[in-house]
Amino acid sequence: MQTQMRRISFALVGYGRFGKHHANILHHHPNAVVEVICETDHIALKQARVDFPDAKIYTEPINMLQEIKVDAVSVVSPEDTHARIVRAALNHGFHVFCEKPLAPTSDEALDLLINIQKTDVKHMCAFIHRFIPSLQLAHKIIKSGEIGEVQHFRSQFLLDMREADGSLTWRFIKALAGGGASGDLGSHHIDVARFLVGEIEEVCATTRTWSEGNKDINDDSFSAIAHIENGAIATIEASRITPGHALTGRIEIDGTKGTISFDMERLNELTITEKNKGPRTFSVTSSNHPYGSFYLPVGLQGAHPISWRDCFAFQAHHMIEAVQNNKQIEPLGATFKDGYRVAEIVDVALLSAKTGKFEKVKFRD
């Protein structure tokens, strides 16, 4: 059993779809408490009062940050609001968890990184794929050399992000969200490539936009080829208007000795294929599961499968432990440095889509 420790108090900025999700995760963590919620939408605000009757409720984040006393701030508001809220949180010395992307552009993301590096607060960017146990195991296998020298990374992230009636959310608006399929979906797999294989050095990409209704609509479809620092080639495809895909998330890594495959629809499994041996697929929810002592009833009644929601709990647990025990967020978790670097790669990819050629990634951190 995990030892009970001091509970980390959180202020949550944003109580929309993802805000509710993060609030629920924190509420059920044994060492966290949601003390403050900020939301501007009156319907979401009303729901927050019902769901968290003991929490202080605010409608303006900057005023809230001036008045409250908490350990950490979780920013789950639209991307165009992140920079203003994070800067204010830093001014008051709060640890910061921020949904990805950090900001609509790499310039804004870099500014947040520069500001947070002047402090000693813990900072984490929500690249949730790092907390899928199957991909954590893939990371260990690759680093151990079991599949040899990595030569290829390939991935697909396909789903339909339109509303049920076909209408578009703020995520489709460039000024509010930055990149579309590139920044919202592709960024996840760009970070996975960095996490599993290595840093991306140059990118050649193409995008298409079919959605209509606003002149400022960002990209619906994104495909990229990237060169990674160790010499490997990465191919990343993402689309947000594919109604035939409920949620397709495929990741494959080829090494000189074998291949690792992961499929989001089979979240608990990892497949390894070696030459002349064929594929071996196994469940990652075993007795040595990375979060067995914290979350799963491993060993109580077998090894239970996990869900996508559980991965958010693992991510929150990582942040809470870092604050409690003064642990580092990296290399397992993504910091604001990772958030900035992914934003830089996305911007370079979008530049490449315009120029039609490979573009070098020049990090400024």
Side-chain angles (χ1 to χ4, degrees):
M1 292 290 292
Q2 182 181 348
T3 303
Q4 186 75 16
M5 301 183 70
R6 180 179 69 87
R7 300 179 84 188
I8 302 302
S9 57
F10 278 83
L12 186 79
V13 182
Y15 201 70
R17 292 177 182 176
F18 268 86
K20 291 176 184 176
H21 189 52
H22 282 284
N24 230 358
I25 293 297
L26 293 171
H27 178 65
H28 288 93
H29 192 286
N31 292 331
V33 58
V34 178
E35 290 191 352
V36 183
I37 296 175
C38 182
E39 175 57 62
T40 57
D41 180 80
H42 72 279
I43 296 176
L45 191 68
K46 183 178 179 180
Q47 189 62 52
R49 293 184 190 279
V50 173
D51 296 341
F52 291 86
D54 296 328
K56 294 180 180 178
I57 304 296
Y58 288 81
T59 59
E60 208 294 312
I62 305 305
N63 291 339
M64 176 199 76
L65 292 167
Q66 290 174 344
E67 296 180 13
I68 63 174
K69 292 183 179 180
V70 294
D71 296 303
V73 175
S74 185
V75 182
V76 201
S77 53
E79 276 83 65
D80 65 320
T81 68
H82 287 182
R84 182 172 72 100
I85 296 167
V86 170
R87 286 194 201 99
L90 295 180
N91 288 339
H92 296 285
F94 299 128
H95 302 290
V96 182
F97 172 89
C98 188
E99 259 296 343
K100 51 66 56 187
L102 284 182
T105 69
S106 59
D107 287 342
E108 294 170 275
L110 177 61
D111 181 68
L112 289 183
L113 175 61
I114 291 171
N115 277 276
I116 211 160
Q117 286 177 332
K118 297 174 183 177
T119 74
D120 59 358
V121 304
K122 302 297 180 186
H123 49 97
M124 188 170 177
C125 187
F127 284 111
I128 185 64
H129 286 68
R130 292 179 179 229
F131 293 92
I132 300 173
S134 295
L135 292 181
Q136 289 188 8
L137 179 60
H139 180 268
K140 290 180 180 178
I141 290 171
I142 292 167
K143 299 307 177 186
S144 75
E146 186 175 335
I147 65 166
E149 182 183 350
V150 174
Q151 296 175 324
H152 300 97
F153 172 95
R154 66 184 66 87
S155 72
Q156 291 180 311
F157 198 168
L158 314 171
L159 72 164
D160 191 347
M161 295 180 67
R162 294 167 293 193
E163 297 291 270
D165 61 1
S167 62
L168 309 181
T169 68
W170 62 268
R171 293 179 180 276
F172 285 71
I173 308 304
K174 190 181 301 181
L176 300 180
S182 57
D184 208 359
L185 303 180
S187 62
H188 274 298
H189 283 196
I190 287 170
D191 187 67
V192 171
R194 298 174 63 249
F195 178 59
L196 296 180
V197 184
E199 194 60 86
I200 290 174
E201 294 186 328
E202 60 179 356
V203 186
C204 185
T206 186
T207 64
R208 290 290 185 276
T209 301
W210 290 279
S211 297
E212 299 178 350
N214 188 301
K215 294 181 180 179
D216 195 36
I217 291 178
N218 48 25
D219 51 290
D220 288 323
S221 183
F222 165 78
S223 296
I225 301 171
H227 294 157
I228 299 179
E229 60 186 355
N230 69 339
I233 295 175
T235 56
I236 300 170
E237 177 188 8
S239 178
R240 65 182 181 189
I241 56 166
T242 52
H245 293 267
L247 198 161
T248 296
R250 302 189 185 105
I251 295 169
E252 198 168 58
I253 303 98
D254 295 325
T256 53
K257 297 179 181 178
T259 294
I260 293 176
S261 303
F262 169 77
D263 189 333
M264 183 68 79
E265 293 179 331
R266 305 187 70 87
L267 188 70
N268 295 271
E269 297 178 356
L270 196 66
T271 298
I272 296 181
T273 306
E274 297 174 273
K275 186 176 181 180
N276 300 325
K277 291 185 178 181
R280 294 181 290 122
T281 300
F282 50 93
S283 173
V284 182
T285 52
S286 61
S287 59
N288 63 348
H289 188 282
Y291 298 99
S293 62
F294 153 65
Y295 199 73
L296 295 173
V298 174
L300 178 63
Q301 291 177 332
H304 291 67
I306 65 166
S307 70
W308 180 232
R309 179 181 182 277
D310 296 331
C311 298
F312 282 82
F314 304 153
Q315 177 179 247
H317 179 64
H318 189 78
M319 177 73 179
I320 291 163
E321 274 204 324
V323 175
Q324 283 178 324
N325 303 318
N326 195 29
K327 291 184 177 180
Q328 295 299 312
I329 296 293
E330 68 279 356
L332 177 59
T335 65
F336 276 28
K337 179 176 180 178
D338 296 294
Y340 154 68
R341 288 199 164 202
V342 171
E344 191 76 74
I345 294 166
V346 169
D347 276 3
V348 171
L350 293 175
L351 171 64
S352 170
K354 293 179 179 179
T355 64
K357 62 182 181 180
F358 270 97
E359 297 288 348
K360 293 283 186 181
V361 180
K362 298 176 182 178
F363 297 118
R364 295 169 283 163
D365 55 313

